[in-house]
Amino acid sequence: MTLRRTNAVIIGAGMIGTVHATAVRAAGGQVRGVVASTPARSARLATQWDVPVAYPDLAGVLADDAVDVIHVCTPNALHAHQAAAALRAGKHVICEKPLATSVADARMLEAAADEAGRVLAVPFVYRYHPLVREIRARAEQGEFGAWQLIHGSYLQDWMLSEQSTNWRVDADLGGRSRAFADIGSHWCDLVEWVAGVRFAEVTARLAITRPKRPVAEATTLRPAAGGKPVATEDVAAVLLRTADDVLASVTVSQVSAGRKNRLWFELDGSEASAVFDQEQPESIWLGGPESSRVVVRDPLTGSAEQQRLSVLPAGHAQGYADCFRAFIGDAYAAMAGEHVVGLPTAADGVRSAQLVDAVLRSADTLAWTPITAELPEELAA
């Protein structure tokens, strides 16, 4: 973990912007400034966060040579333009997922980062749970054997009420996919990385359970008067097949009552199985044909990566905020030229865009659809 005093600017005044600002400071960086939707909001947030500079706009950030990294925490449709501008100005970038709302834009950002020689990191932060690293290490050592089945879910309830709304509901701001792009992408990234698999094709069904919601103002996230038909999914049921012909399934929902942030997966191997639940991240379940056991996080045992990321003694709970701090720390270390393990970068953002694209195409055609590195003809034209 690096403690280098990296100067960061946060673009975006929502909840996730606050999470980034807190993690920057926890990782040893400095929040130099903030950009909100208006200069007045930037000034208010700068006072609230106790940061020295309230930039009037992105151009002001790009012109500031003291800025090392820009954190893009704005609505999804703005990511490609803002991240590209930052990279071309010589800044490192941490861009919220999805990296872009199209495969073409995600690839453009990957190329821009390569050309600029800058780090472009994407916060797939669930990779940073210590016990996720433990499962991955055991998988790499062959403890589970050949995969037989992969399954799980990512369930939330924050959109359950018909009065609940958010800018993500609007496809023009959030992209054509909501539930899968927002949280299903996390599940796929985590499972591919932990299990060491690559999904090759998918068949997906999407559903809208609340056909009309209040309109959300993008700048305030508060419901405005009236309502609007919903075009982005509340739930998704996805069946996948890996390149090694292993079946996988994931259920994604933002309308499952009582489920606040339950990312859950089970990896079933020929020798043993493993289960991780993000709402109970201090333990994992390891299953065997004759006995099963629960393994708890402990900085004194297990894999090197579990020990590195276990910053508190066993029994002192770590969670999402610790994952975010560790991610930011690794991203800043990479920006300083250090080698880090498992940092999600532009390539992972492109991969996620490809998965979202395949899910949407499958839902449109009701057919098995390849998750391809090649652009569909309509995008390549």
Side-chain angles (χ1 to χ4, degrees):
M1 189 66 63
T2 183
L3 294 179
R4 180 179 179 273
R5 197 78 168 163
T6 304
N7 281 321
V9 170
I10 314 295
I11 305 178
M15 177 277 292
I16 200 63
T18 302
V19 170
H20 278 249
T22 301
V24 167
R25 287 167 166 159
Q30 175 173 286
V31 182
R32 177 173 173 80
V34 61
V35 182
S37 56
T38 67
R41 292 198 74 210
S42 296
R44 287 196 299 271
L45 201 62
T47 299
Q48 180 182 332
W49 287 358
D50 190 24
V51 301
V53 184
Y55 295 92
D57 51 31
L58 176 59
V61 182
L62 301 182
D64 188 347
D65 292 337
V67 176
D68 299 309
V69 55
I70 296 175
H71 292 240
V72 178
C73 304
T74 53
N76 303 342
L78 302 177
H79 290 180
H81 166 72
Q82 292 173 337
L87 291 165
R88 289 164 185 161
K91 313 298 186 185
H92 297 288
V93 173
I94 294 178
C95 182
E96 265 301 323
K97 35 90 358 221
L99 182 58
T101 56
S102 73
V103 176
D105 280 347
R107 283 183 168 179
M108 176 273 292
L109 290 176
E110 182 182 31
D114 288 343
E115 183 177 349
R118 293 293 182 265
V119 171
L120 172 53
V122 184
F124 288 116
V125 297
Y126 298 120
R127 293 186 184 193
Y128 281 85
H129 279 296
L131 288 176
V132 161
R133 301 280 173 134
E134 182 67 22
I135 295 174
R136 184 172 188 266
R138 290 170 182 261
E140 289 178 331
Q141 294 165 3
E143 179 174 320
F144 303 110
W147 298 125
Q148 309 296 295
L149 179 68
I150 297 170
H151 53 110
S153 60
Y154 197 156
L155 309 176
Q156 299 176 334
D157 71 356
W158 69 291
M159 296 296 286
L160 179 61
S161 168
E162 64 182 3
Q163 294 304 310
S164 297
T165 194
N166 184 272
W167 57 260
R168 292 172 177 83
V169 174
D170 187 340
D172 290 337
L173 294 173
R176 280 189 60 206
S177 172
R178 174 167 36 99
F180 185 82
D182 190 26
I183 58 177
S185 59
H186 270 297
W187 189 92
C188 289
D189 173 82
L190 190 62
V191 166
E192 283 195 326
W193 188 72
V194 172
V197 300
R198 198 75 164 171
F199 296 128
E201 58 180 342
V202 59
T203 184
R205 302 297 183 269
L206 310 179
I208 296 168
T209 66
R210 300 295 190 187
K212 190 175 183 180
R213 292 185 184 272
V215 176
E217 297 176 358
T219 56
T220 65
L221 308 188
R222 292 195 300 266
K228 184 178 180 181
V230 174
T232 56
E233 80 278 1
D234 294 299
V235 298
V238 183
L239 183 64
L240 309 105
R241 188 169 12 238
T242 74
D244 296 326
D245 208 30
V246 178
L247 284 178
S249 65
V250 60
T251 301
V252 177
S253 169
Q254 293 179 326
V255 290
S256 293
R259 297 301 188 186
K260 303 306 178 185
N261 198 52
R262 190 176 187 263
L263 187 165
W264 183 95
F265 68 74
E266 178 165 334
L267 309 176
D268 295 334
S270 59
E271 303 296 329
S273 298
V275 170
F276 175 77
D277 180 353
Q278 199 280 148
E279 288 189 337
Q280 303 292 331
E282 288 287 272
S283 65
I284 53 176
W285 180 87
L286 300 178
E290 296 182 359
S291 64
S292 302
R293 60 197 174 108
V294 173
V295 173
V296 299
R297 182 189 62 79
D298 190 337
L300 302 180
T301 63
S303 67
E305 279 294 289
Q306 187 219 153
Q307 294 182 43
R308 177 178 78 92
L309 295 173
S310 290
V311 296
L312 295 175
H316 298 74
Q318 290 185 211
Y320 176 76
D322 299 287
C323 290
F324 226 105
R325 175 202 51 76
F327 161 74
I328 296 295
D330 270 9
Y332 286 6
M335 293 169 195
E338 299 178 28
H339 173 72
V340 294
V341 175
L343 176 69
T345 60
D348 301 294
V350 171
R351 173 62 178 171
S352 182
Q354 292 168 343
L355 280 157
V356 172
D357 174 73
V359 164
L360 288 170
R361 286 187 286 123
S362 175
D364 287 342
T365 62
L366 304 182
W368 278 98
T369 302
I371 303 165
T372 176
E374 299 301 321
L375 285 173
E377 289 184 6
E378 63 271 21
L379 293 179

